[in-house]
């Protein structure tokens, strides 16, 4: 499916109007939404209600630093929310559901907690009426179907001695009866693939190369580029620009200890941790895409890892995952 089709299931129009140009009658009944860093309360109000198809006018202002406003799972440019200024936007939702709006500027350690909801009710005039409302579980995530415990350790007992190469893997894979399907790739860790090749005459490093090829053949240059962009915007501040778990907030996270207030059952049992190092082969080669998807969708429930399920589309999450594995594999020299 093409990205444009996927995102256009929910149409949205964003218009940033000059304050002076706004008709007075709209101005008068438009709620003023205040943004503050999460420690001081985040968005206020943080629940907004609107009917399907009805333009939702919002006035946004910040009471402290520069914040940004965007709605999750939507193809929209984020809008800056400036201290002492008012920004007008108009959104129109053509599908009912619970949408998440969130801050897009790194305003502090708890930046990602700056989230609110827009409840869109009423009949959808979407041409495909059978579609469930957004926010309802459209599909059971793969980690649930596979019965994966995403909180259990998943270390690869063996790791490659050098970075596996997709291009050598491709030559080796030519005569192998390996499953190249997307489902197989998503359900298995690279280490599992390495293990399945133990009955061949290949060396260890050749088996890792085949795994690298399998991963590479299940992603595209476009997907990697998207993943990289999403990563830089949303993940690098904790996980580090180069994936090494050393983002600008990594130390703060460690210091924050158990001050987490993430509200999901189980949060009490989990403690704040340092961000995962995606360049660590022991960790990453022992993880399947389905497991990583589960972690990204659900979050760490108190570990400091935010939940992203209501922010990104499913496709965006697979793009992110494809990018995370690129810290492990050498994809050079393979053309799509
Ligand atoms: C506020 C800091 C923070 C941000 C932002 C963040 N993470 Fe994390 N992440 C963590 C921490 C801490 C952990 C380790 C604890 C855990 O696994 O729950 C983690 C763990 C993970 C894991 C689990 C890996 C494994 O082997 O189990 C994945 C996958 C992940 N993050 C992906 C992402 C992606 C993708 C983004 C951006 C969309 C992101 N994270 C943004 C803090 C963060
Ligand atoms: Cu903010």
């Amino acid at each position: 499916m093409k990205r444009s089709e996927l995102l256009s299931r929910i149409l949205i129009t964003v218009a940033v109007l000059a304050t002076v140009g706004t008709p007075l009658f709209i101005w008068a009944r438009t709620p003023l939404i205040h943004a503050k860093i999460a420690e001081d309360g985040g968005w206020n109000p943080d629940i907004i209600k609107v009917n399907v198809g009805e333009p939702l006018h919002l006035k946004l202002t910040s009471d402290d630093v520069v914040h940004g406003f965007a709605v999750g799972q939507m193809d929209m440019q984020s809008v800056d929310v400036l201290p002492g200024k008012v920004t007008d936007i108009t959104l129109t939702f053509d599908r009912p559901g619970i949408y998440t709006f969130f801050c897009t500027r790194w305003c502090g350690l708890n930046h990602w907690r700056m989230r609110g909801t827009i409840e869109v009710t009423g009949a959808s005039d979407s041409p495909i009426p059978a579609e469930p409302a957004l926010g309802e579980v459209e599909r059971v995530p793969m980690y649930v179907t596979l019965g994966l415990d995403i909180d259990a350790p998943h270390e690869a007992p063996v790791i490659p001695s050098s970075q596996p190469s997709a291009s050598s893997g491709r030559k080796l894979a030519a005569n192998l009866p390996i499953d190249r399907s997307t489902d197989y790739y998503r359900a298995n860790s690279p280490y599992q693939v390495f293990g399945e090749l133990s009955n061949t005459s290949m060396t260890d490093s050749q088996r890792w190369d085949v795994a690298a090829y399998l991963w590479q053949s299940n992603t595209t240059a476009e997907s990697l580029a998207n993943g990289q962009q999403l990563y830089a915007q949303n993940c690098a501040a904790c996980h580090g620009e180069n994936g090494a778990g050393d983002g600008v907030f990594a130390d703060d996270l460690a210091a924050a200890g158990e001050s987490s207030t993430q509200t999901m059952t189980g949060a009490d049992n989990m403690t704040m941790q340092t961000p995962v190092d995606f360049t660590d082969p022991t960790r990453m080669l022992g993880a399947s895409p389905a497991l990583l998807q589960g972690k990204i969708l659900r979050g760490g429930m108190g570990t400091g890892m935010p939940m992203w399920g209501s922010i990104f589309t499913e496709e965006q999450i697979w793009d992110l995952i494809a990018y995370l594995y690129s810290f492990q594999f050498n994809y050079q020299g393979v053309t799509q």
Side-chain angles (χ1 to χ4, degrees):
M1 199 193 309
K2 277 192 53 205
R3 186 168 317 272
S4 51
E5 289 166 25
L6 202 122
L7 288 165
S8 65
R9 290 191 314 179
I10 317 131
L11 278 181
I12 187 161
T13 52
V14 182
V16 183
L17 309 169
T19 303
V20 275
T22 313
L24 255 179
F25 70 94
I26 293 178
W27 180 260
R29 60 179 176 86
T30 305
L32 181 61
I33 300 187
H34 292 263
K36 281 193 215 173
I37 58 165
E39 289 81 346
D40 293 337
W43 302 102
N44 185 21
D46 62 358
I47 299 174
I48 302 163
K49 296 180 187 202
V50 71
N51 289 324
V52 170
E54 218 171 76
L56 171 65
H57 302 288
L58 298 174
K59 290 189 290 185
L60 306 168
T61 191
S62 166
D63 294 345
D64 47 31
V65 296
V66 177
H67 296 280
F69 174 96
V71 181
Q73 303 187 337
M74 279 225 191
D75 195 8
M76 81 174 268
Q77 286 290 311
S78 111
V79 178
D80 279 348
V81 182
L82 306 166
K85 296 230 166 81
V86 176
T87 304
D88 282 17
I89 65 167
T90 303
L91 310 169
T92 311
F93 298 85
D94 73 349
R95 269 177 81 190
I98 313 279
Y99 296 78
T100 298
F101 65 90
F102 62 104
C103 179
T104 53
R105 291 282 203 131
W106 282 93
C107 51
L109 178 63
N110 287 305
H111 146 77
W112 61 272
R113 291 184 201 277
M114 278 190 70
R115 294 183 180 180
T117 51
I118 302 175
E119 298 177 17
V120 182
T121 47
S124 168
D125 20 323
S126 158
I128 319 145
E131 270 192 289
L134 197 93
E136 283 172 24
V137 181
E138 297 196 12
R139 223 200 283 182
V140 180
M142 206 167 176
Y143 80 93
V144 177
T145 349
L146 294 173
L148 288 180
D149 177 359
I150 57 176
D151 298 312
H154 51 81
E155 292 177 355
V158 186
I159 56 165
S161 51
S162 62
Q163 196 180 41
S165 150
S167 66
S168 1
R170 181 168 61 162
K171 292 176 208 114
L172 294 162
N175 304 313
L176 286 175
I178 49 165
D179 186 344
R180 285 152 218 248
S181 71
T182 308
D183 278 349
Y184 179 77
Y185 148 78
R186 287 180 179 170
N188 289 278
S189 68
Y191 173 71
Q192 281 170 293
V193 172
F194 170 85
E196 285 198 14
L197 296 171
S198 61
N199 56 358
T200 65
S201 59
M202 287 187 290
T203 65
D204 282 9
S205 90
Q206 287 175 325
R207 284 153 64 193
W208 284 117
D209 288 348
V210 172
Y213 165 67
L214 212 64
W215 257 242
Q216 195 275 335
S217 63
N218 270 288
T219 186
T220 61
E222 191 206 5
S223 167
L224 279 177
N226 277 317
Q228 178 170 27
Q229 198 195 350
L230 291 167
Y231 180 88
Q233 280 164 10
N234 302 283
C235 325
C238 287
H239 289 283
E241 214 63 59
N242 299 310
D246 55 356
V248 290
F249 286 132
D251 291 344
D252 294 354
L253 260 183
E258 293 173 24
S259 68
S260 168
T261 55
Q262 199 162 356
T263 54
M264 275 190 78
T265 40
D268 295 344
N269 319 326
M270 312 293 277
T271 47
M272 211 68 148
Q273 293 171 20
T274 47
V276 165
D277 174 358
F278 296 127
T279 65
D280 171 10
T282 306
R283 179 136 197 164
M284 287 303 283
L285 297 178
S288 64
L291 184 145
L292 300 180
Q293 186 206 28
K295 229 6 180 325
I296 297 168
L297 281 172
R298 192 210 64 180
M301 301 211 299
T303 60
M305 167 64 185
M307 44 182 170
W308 300 97
S310 62
I311 304 290
F312 299 127
T313 62
E314 191 180 333
E315 193 180 3
Q316 285 176 319
I317 293 180
W318 291 124
D319 290 349
L320 273 163
I321 291 166
Y323 180 65
L324 297 186
Y325 285 110
S326 74
F327 294 117
Q328 294 299 325
F329 297 134
N330 182 353
Y331 287 152
Q332 260 148 40
V334 183
T335 40
Q336 278 306 132

